[in-house]
Amino acid sequence: MKLRGLYAITDSQLLAGKFLPYVEAALDGGVTLLQYRDKSQDEARRLREAEALVELCSRYKTRLIVNDDAELAARLGVGVHLGQTDGPLTPARTLLGREAIIGSTCHAQLELAEQAAREGASYVAFGRFFNSVTKPGAPAADTALLEQARARLKLPICVIGGITLDNAAPLVAHGADLLAVIHGLFGADSTQEVTRRARAFNALFASA
Ligand SMILES: Cc1ncc(COP(=O)(O)OP(=O)(O)O)c(N)n1
Ligand SMILES: Cc1nc(C(=O)O)sc1CCOP(=O)(O)O
Ligand SMILES: [Mg+2]
């Protein structure tokens, strides 16, 4: 499967009280990957919400990724996204199997991406490209890095951090395969607007 398009990421605070309707609205507009990202320690809620997403993603034929938690991903039979402090990639690959999608945060460092590629990552993520409401303190990356990554890596390249419909096009033009978005997608006022934004993010790839 080609990993290219919109990578929607959930946020428990932003989606409080509208979690499933907003996620379904995004899937309706077209999502290549959906990441369940919940930074709370509420294990019961995490399991409940992640199971609901498994069902939703199976209806929309979308691949689900769990943030941080390879054990939960294994339990649900889905992929995982691992940051630099979320545990090593090689055992996660062994746990989840060859077919699983495993993503790796590489900040703005090509060396981290090359290491992730050697250890079996399915995609590498660089960021943050713009000011992020969700994660303002993340290290900054720029489009020059993207061009170098494109030249040196064969893996799909994901970009993240403050991405909106107004600033995403140059990232695609500089070689991004996946646009990972929280606020620029789910910060909308209505489900209709979430669907419109998802379609518009995908349209950036059609014209690239
Ligand atoms: C697609 C994608 N890219 C980067 C991240 C950030 O991962 P990490 O650095 O582990 O930070 P947290 O998201 O866990 O706070 C991501 N989740 N997804
Ligand atoms: C979770 C995350 N990781 C980042 C990184 O740079 O690694 S930026 C980020 C936040 C993404 O949310 P938004 O689209 O609202 O900016
Ligand atoms: Mg993490």
Side-chain angles (χ1 to χ4, degrees):
M1 181 211 184
K2 202 164 180 216
L3 294 182
R4 189 165 160 82
L6 175 61
Y7 186 170
I9 303 184
T10 69
D11 179 283
S12 304
Q13 275 95 52
L14 188 60
L15 294 177
K18 51 191 185 186
F19 182 74
L20 286 178
Y22 266 48
V23 172
E24 183 157 10
L27 298 188
D28 202 26
V31 168
T32 299
L33 296 179
L34 175 72
Q35 183 184 124
Y36 176 57
R37 180 174 181 271
D38 178 313
K39 302 302 285 186
S40 80
Q41 300 303 316
D42 187 340
E43 296 298 323
R45 191 188 68 197
R46 283 163 61 77
L47 181 59
R48 196 172 61 243
E49 288 184 344
E51 283 177 337
L53 293 185
V54 169
E55 193 277 322
L56 202 52
C57 284
S58 119
R59 263 201 284 135
Y60 282 85
K61 302 196 185 337
T62 299
R63 303 288 293 267
L64 179 63
I65 310 293
V66 167
N67 189 38
D68 293 340
D69 191 342
E71 300 289 336
L72 178 58
R75 180 169 174 175
L76 298 173
V78 303
V80 71
H81 183 93
L82 296 175
Q84 291 298 319
T85 57
D86 296 327
L89 224 139
T90 308
R93 173 59 71 201
T94 306
L95 180 68
L96 297 178
R98 286 180 54 219
E99 298 300 318
I101 297 175
I102 302 183
S104 174
T105 297
C106 302
H107 301 298
Q109 296 178 49
L110 279 178
E111 299 71 23
L112 291 179
E114 285 172 331
Q115 184 183 345
R118 283 194 298 275
E119 293 177 357
S122 313
Y123 69 84
V124 290
F126 295 107
R128 69 181 157 84
F129 281 86
F130 305 102
N131 293 333
S132 169
V133 180
T134 311
K135 203 161 185 179
D142 60 24
T143 51
L145 169 83
L146 262 185
E147 301 222 330
Q148 289 167 16
R150 191 74 287 165
R152 274 166 61 173
L153 300 165
K154 291 202 173 64
L155 287 181
I157 294 173
C158 173
V159 291
I160 190 166
I163 297 172
T164 67
L165 282 169
D166 291 334
N167 61 27
L171 300 178
V172 178
H174 282 89
D177 296 297
L178 290 162
L179 295 171
V181 189
I182 301 180
H183 208 273
L185 177 67
F186 290 121
D189 284 342
S190 66
T191 52
Q192 290 84 350
E193 175 62 8
V194 172
T195 303
R196 187 196 73 79
R197 289 184 187 186
R199 288 204 181 105
F201 275 116
N202 283 303
L204 296 173
F205 290 92
S207 55

